[in-house]
Amino acid sequence: MRILVGLGFAICRIINLPYVREFYTDQGSHPRFSAVEMPRITVAFPANWSLFLAVGDATEVYILYFLTILAGLAVAFGYKTRAATFCCWLLGFSLYNRCPMINPASDMEILYCLFFGIFLPWGDCWSVDNPF
């Protein structure tokens, strides 16, 4: 389960990589001020809370985005599994809240799996932390 969730999360982020500048930077079609003023489509998360709202420059956004991909790969490989799962959930949550209108429902399901994975012993088997 951990491997599939981590790989699924990382692959979704890699597929969306060409659209980062368009949807997550101030130079794109959805700058930060419009994200804050946008009405919430979902009540699942607190309104307007995102680490991606703290940065608007393309370089800074790409750094956060690559950290998100690395966190997903760390979950998949089981490296510092609990901390990586928390970081993956937090960064995925931030991505979702930064521009919720472009995220499919599968992102929410992955975020739910990551949230509950924080409390599970995911790193006990087939991971870098504990290989056997």
Side-chain angles (χ1 to χ4, degrees), residues 17-84:
L17 190 59
Y19 310 108
V20 169
R21 183 179 294 275
E22 181 65 30
F23 292 111
Y24 297 112
T25 66
D26 288 342
Q27 294 82 25
S29 64
H30 193 63
R32 286 182 287 175
F33 69 86
S34 70
V36 172
E37 294 171 359
M38 183 180 65
R40 293 283 107 185
I41 344 178
T42 179
V43 293
F45 297 131
N48 300 331
W49 188 92
S50 173
L51 292 173
F52 285 86
L53 287 174
V55 295
D57 183 51
T59 307
E60 296 165 343
V61 170
Y62 276 112
I63 290 170
L64 265 179
Y65 202 81
F66 283 120
L67 286 175
T68 306
I69 293 171
L70 287 176
L73 292 175
V75 169
F77 289 112
Y79 179 72
K80 306 279 187 194
T81 311
R82 194 167 306 255

Side-chain angles (χ1 to χ4, degrees), residues 1-8 75-76 109 112-114 117 120 122:
M1 174 84 172
R2 178 200 84 237
I3 297 169
L4 290 176
V5 170
L7 284 178
V75 169
E109 291 176 4
Y112 290 142
C113 288
L114 287 168
L120 295 174
W122 275 11

